[in-house]
């Protein structure tokens, strides 16, 4: 599975962005898809994940503000980000794994290249 994340950009505090993760490969619909982020000088952080049956799980810092979804017909997963804050600034990565939702990045086999999200004050 090859992944490509896009949709990042510069937004003001309180604004919204939608990230997309486009996948190639016939097994994408069987995969759990996760979003992770990494800010400069910080460790990689779990953001959200969605299983093949669309069970979702969110990190505590984004719960209630971000929504993960997928469209298996389009081989694409999405991360809708609302009420953005400066602390959401990071490079966002999508990843995929076979198996259940997992918050540990090392358990994901496939990674996209990342897209920058910057939230200004």
């Amino acid at each position: 599975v090859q992944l490509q994340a896009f949709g990042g950009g510069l937004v003001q505090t309180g604004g919204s962005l939608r990230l997309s993760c486009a996948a190639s490969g016939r097994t994408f619909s069987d995969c759990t898809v996760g979003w992770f982020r990494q800010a400069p000088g910080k460790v990689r952080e779990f953001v959200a994940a969605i299983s093949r049956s669309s069970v979702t799980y969110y990190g505590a810092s984004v719960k209630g503000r971000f929504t993960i979804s997928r469209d298996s017909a389009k081989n694409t997963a999405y991360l809708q980000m609302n009420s953005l804050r400066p602390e959401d600034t990071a490079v966002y990565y999508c990843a995929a794994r076979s198996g259940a939702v997992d918050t540990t990045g090392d358990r994901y086999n496939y990674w996209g290249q990342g897209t920058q999200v910057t939230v200004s004050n």
Side-chain angles (χ1 to χ4, degrees):
V1 178
Q2 293 183 323
L3 306 174
Q4 183 177 8
F6 56 94
L10 174 64
V11 64
Q12 291 185 332
T13 296
S16 299
L17 280 175
R18 187 176 81 155
L19 305 183
S20 299
C21 177
S24 62
R26 60 183 177 87
T27 61
F28 179 72
S29 60
D30 295 332
C31 291
T32 285
V33 179
W35 286 95
F36 294 80
R37 66 187 182 187
Q38 189 164 20
K42 294 188 176 181
V43 299
R44 183 173 58 197
E45 178 186 11
F46 169 78
V47 176
I50 185 167
S51 73
R52 58 183 289 183
S53 58
S54 296
V55 173
T56 59
Y57 191 78
Y58 296 92
S61 62
V62 306
K63 196 170 185 178
R65 300 187 297 124
F66 291 11
T67 302
I68 189 171
S69 61
R70 69 189 300 165
D71 185 337
S72 293
K74 295 182 178 180
N75 268 7
T76 302
Y78 305 96
L79 184 69
Q80 177 67 43
M81 305 185 295
N82 298 329
S83 302
L84 283 162
R85 306 166 180 167
E87 54 265 37
D88 294 319
T89 295
V91 177
Y92 284 70
Y93 299 89
C94 63
R97 69 184 299 269
S98 53
V101 164
D102 202 296
T103 62
T104 304
D106 290 347
R107 295 179 182 153
Y108 286 73
N109 307 101
Y110 310 99
W111 288 82
Q113 82 289 3
T115 184
Q116 176 71 46
V117 172
T118 302
V119 184
S120 64
N121 289 314

